[in-house]
Amino acid sequence: AGRAVPEIWVPDSTLLAQQVASASGGRVNVGDTVASTPVVLAVPDGQQAPEPATWASAIVAENTRLPDPNTSTVGRIALMVGLSEIDALPAAARSSALAGIGGMLSRVVPEDTLLAGHVGGSDSAVFPTTEQQVHRAARSGLTVTAAASSTPALEFPFVTARSAPTD
């Protein structure tokens, strides 16, 4: 007997689901999005969101932390949207923003530490997260700010799997 394949899956990324479906040999079907939650900037008391509050300014600001984009969909979204915004800047502003990218790498942290370790305390910082994660954590001393430039969202598609490919 082979390993059991889950019959349904609800990932936090339509893109990830589509990549899995493409590689599945017809065994995975990506259905409709069943839920979504906006990606926002969490701002602990004593901190300020970057001005202007854009994803470009958020990924280069000294007082921000970024969820590790290698393991976090929120981190990937914040980084991709931020880099896209930087790319659209006039040349001089783009050069200045890109100079700040190197510092961002030292502020990448595991996503699960953000609400626990970067709200209040000595390492308090602004960070991207979802509205749902903030609501679930029910942390005091934390407000959320939508970026003025755009509000991306995590989308949760309904994915089904079959144990054998279809003809």
Side-chain angles (χ1 to χ4, degrees):
R3 290 181 12 191
V5 175
E7 292 182 26
I8 65 165
W9 175 41
V10 183
D12 65 2
S13 167
T14 300
L15 177 61
L16 174 61
Q18 290 168 343
Q19 289 172 336
V20 170
S22 292
S24 74
R27 287 177 266 164
V28 173
N29 179 54
V30 180
D32 293 334
T33 296
V34 295
S36 66
T37 182
V39 178
V40 296
L41 289 171
V43 183
D45 288 351
Q47 294 290 321
Q48 281 191 288
E51 273 299 320
T54 65
W55 293 107
S57 61
I59 66 171
V60 298
E62 289 293 323
N63 71 327
T64 60
R65 300 295 177 271
L66 183 69
D68 186 347
N70 292 310
T71 57
S72 164
T73 302
V74 170
R76 277 189 296 281
I77 287 173
L79 183 60
M80 288 189 315
V81 174
L83 290 173
S84 176
E85 290 177 4
I86 289 171
D87 191 48
L89 293 171
R94 184 173 50 249
S95 293
S96 175
L98 288 172
I101 293 293
M104 176 209 52
L105 298 176
S106 67
R107 296 186 307 274
V108 170
V109 297
E111 184 174 27
D112 60 352
T113 68
L114 287 169
L115 284 163
H118 298 287
V119 177
S122 63
D123 197 24
S124 187
V126 175
F127 56 91
T129 188
T130 65
E131 187 177 75
Q132 183 268 338
Q133 288 170 318
V134 171
H135 178 73
R136 185 179 60 207
R139 296 289 309 253
S140 62
L142 184 67
T143 58
V144 295
T145 299
S149 53
S150 66
T151 305
L154 294 189
E155 295 180 343
F156 298 83
F158 187 80
V159 179
T160 56
R162 294 179 289 283
S163 58
T166 58
D167 293 328

